[in-house]
Structure formats: C-alpha cells, structure tokens
C-alpha cells in the first residue's frame, strides 16, 4: 500500500461520501487495502471485534454519523499514526450488535498483536471491544475470504421486559404459535433467491448494476431459552435487512396471519411486499464468521 493512498482518508468523518451507500455482504464500493502491494514492512492484521450497536449508525463509515468502522479507524490511527479504513466481514445496520465481527487492515506498525488489543481497548468506547488481534496472510480479507456467517435474533416473550435487556431484544409478549414458527423456519434452508426478504432499495455491484439475490442458507432454526425465543441462521451471505425481514415474516406465521407453507410462496414471489415487516434492529447479532 502506498503512503499517498493512505492519505485519501483525512479523518473519521472525512471518508468519501459516495462510499456510504454499499450494502451488507455485497462487493464494497469502499476503498480496500492494497494487499498486492505488501512488502516486508507491511502486516495484514485480523481483529475479532465485539460491539453494542445501540448507539451507532451501523458498521459502515458515513458522513456526520458515529459508526463502528469510523470509531475503529480513529483508534487505529491513534495507535499507528496511519490513516487506514478497516474492512469488516459485513456491514451491520444501525442498532445491530456483533459478538465476533471479523476485521482486517494493513499496517506498517511494528506494535505486537497483544499490545494492539490493550492499546485499542484503552482508546475505544466501552461499547466496542477488541477480543483478539493476530497477523494473517497477505491475501486474507475479512469480507472477501468469508465463507459463511451466523446471525442470531432474540425475542423476549414475557409480559415485562427487564430494562437491562430492552436494548438487546425485541419485546414481543403477544400470543404466538411458536411451533408453527419453528416449522416455517426450515423452509428457507437451501439455495434461494431472497428478493422477497431483501431491503426495498436494490443492491448494487461495483459497476452500479443490480447484484444477484441468490443465497444459500445452511441452517435456519428457532429455540426457546427461558423467556427468550431465539432465531439462529447460518448462510453463505445475507442481503440488506434479510434476517430481520425473515423474522418479521415468521412472526406473521406465529400470529396465523400467514400459514407455514406461505413462506415458500413468498420466496417464489421475489417481491418484498409479499413478506412481513422488518423486525427491530436491537434483537439482531452477528455471531460468527467462518473462513
């Protein structure tokens, strides 16, 4: 990576405004680290990041907003003296949390990886924690190298939601046929076009053309854990709002507004208006990324 290219980013809020529009798990319009130009002085570092997304405008840096990516970029800059834009495995939305977001960035800094953990956590707000830093091969990229991601969505079913949980679950105390929801979840497994469960605004590729909404879901299941009803889904990738739209649709099945087999019909429709409303962001977590 050339030093002049690093200077393209003047500060946390100074990244090009045009970079703010790309979506979750699609080819980024953001500038990526020039891994092909790595020399012996450069290191490719992989971070495992956990964050409470409640007070952030999502992962991806954007003008006049506090984001996880921008906050992390600022902290890295204070440690290394470099202007770099760390790349995440996916772009979580405003209010969405992460247990193990994977991040990569290239640096000339010789700071030991263990010291990076301590230094970054000393700078970052308490809502963002670096769990691990390790040096990886030059070709490894948090997003491009990912093979599968797991998300979890938490619904709190009791009549009263404890105040210390309110930001981290969707409180839904109303009657639901939970067994019907469990059965419906399996219908989205396999490879499908998930247009019906994507955000209304279409995804765009690097040339501005619409991208494929085809995704493979490896597992999709609900589980009761005390007062929580939890959805866990693992897939090859996810469209913008896809998990939250799936949850909103499953809720309609639980209310008997939709029948179980309607989920398959909605998939075939490839029409966002056929599916349910988008579930609130606070109940969603990026749990794991596999490579």
């Amino acid at each position: 990576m050339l030093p002049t290219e690093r200077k393209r980013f003047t500060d946390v809020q100074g990244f090009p405004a045009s970079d703010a529009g790309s979506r979750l798990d699609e080819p980024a319009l953001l500038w990526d680290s020039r891994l092909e130009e790595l020399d012996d002085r450069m290191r490719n570092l992989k971070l495992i990041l956990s964050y409470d997304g409640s007070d952030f405008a999502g992962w991806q840096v954007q003008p006049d907003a506090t984001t996880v990516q921008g906050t992390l970029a600022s902290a890295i800059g204070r440690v290394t003296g470099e202007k770099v834009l760390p790349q995440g495995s996916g772009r979580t939305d405003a209010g969405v949390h992460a247990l193990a977001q994977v991040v990569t960035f290239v640096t000339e800094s010789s700071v030991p990886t263990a010291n990076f953990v301590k230094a970054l956590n000393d700078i970052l707000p308490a809502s963002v924690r670096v769990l691990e830093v390790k040096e990886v091969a030059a070709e490894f990229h948090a997003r491009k190298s990912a093979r599968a991601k797991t998300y979890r969505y938490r619904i709190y079913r009791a009549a009263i939601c404890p105040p210390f949980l309110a930001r981290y679950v969707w409180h839904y105390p109303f009657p639901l046929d939970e067994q019907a929801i469990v059965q419906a979840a399996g219908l989205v497994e396999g490879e499908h076009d998930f247009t019906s469960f994507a955000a209304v605004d279409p995804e765009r590729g690097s040339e501005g053309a619409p991208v494929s909404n085809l995704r493979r879901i490896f597992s999709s299941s609900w589980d009761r854990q005390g007062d929580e009803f939890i959805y866990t889904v693992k897939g090859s990738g996810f469209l913008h709002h896809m998990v939250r739209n799936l949850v909103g649709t499953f809720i309609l099945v639980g209310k008997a507004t939709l029948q179980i087999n309607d989920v398959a019909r909605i998939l075939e429709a490839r029409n966002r208006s056929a599916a349910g409303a988008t579930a609130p962001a606070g109940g969603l977590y990026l749990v794991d990324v596999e490579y």
Side-chain angles (χ1 to χ4, degrees), residues 175-177 180-181 249-260 262:
L176 284 176
D177 183 345
I181 293 176
T249 303
F250 292 141
I251 289 296
L252 293 182
V253 173
K255 293 170 61 177
T257 303
L258 294 174
Q259 301 303 306
I260 294 171
D262 284 335

Side-chain angles (χ1 to χ4, degrees), residues 92-140:
T92 51
D93 288 334
V96 174
H97 318 291
L99 303 183
Q101 170 73 284
V102 178
V103 179
T104 48
F105 71 95
V106 175
T107 180
E108 292 182 7
S109 172
S110 61
V111 174
T113 54
N115 291 2
F116 256 115
V117 175
K118 184 179 187 305
L120 290 174
N121 283 335
D122 284 346
I123 297 168
L124 290 165
S127 55
V128 182
R129 293 291 87 183
V130 176
L131 306 181
E132 175 186 296
V133 178
K134 64 186 296 186
E135 192 163 348
V136 292
E139 63 271 16
F140 182 87

Side-chain angles (χ1 to χ4, degrees), residues 43-186:
R43 305 161 70 202
N44 190 25
L45 297 186
K46 172 188 173 186
L47 282 66
I48 305 296
L49 200 68
S50 180
Y51 51 84
D52 175 349
S54 303
D55 297 327
F56 291 98
W59 160 262
Q60 187 167 316
V61 69
Q62 51 190 288
D64 304 317
T66 301
T67 66
V68 181
Q69 187 181 36
T71 300
L72 180 60
S74 178
I76 292 171
R78 290 177 59 183
V79 173
T80 67
E82 301 167 334
K83 300 293 184 182
V84 299
L85 186 63
Q87 299 296 305
S89 68
R91 296 165 182 83
T92 51
D93 288 334
V96 174
H97 318 291
L99 303 183
Q101 170 73 284
V102 178
V103 179
T104 48
F105 71 95
V106 175
T107 180
E108 292 182 7
S109 172
S110 61
V111 174
T113 54
N115 291 2
F116 256 115
V117 175
K118 184 179 187 305
L120 290 174
N121 283 335
D122 284 346
I123 297 168
L124 290 165
S127 55
V128 182
R129 293 291 87 183
V130 176
L131 306 181
E132 175 186 296
V133 178
K134 64 186 296 186
E135 192 163 348
V136 292
E139 63 271 16
F140 182 87
H141 188 283
R143 175 177 51 82
K144 296 176 182 177
S145 303
R147 295 292 175 264
K149 297 183 179 72
T150 299
Y151 281 88
R152 180 178 301 150
Y153 196 95
R154 299 168 59 188
I155 296 180
Y156 194 79
R157 299 284 291 127
I160 300 173
C161 181
F164 303 109
L165 274 182
R167 303 207 315 177
Y168 308 109
V169 297
W170 180 13
H171 183 211
Y172 197 95
F174 312 108
L176 284 176
D177 183 345
E178 294 184 5
Q179 189 54 43
I181 293 176
V182 169
Q183 294 179 48

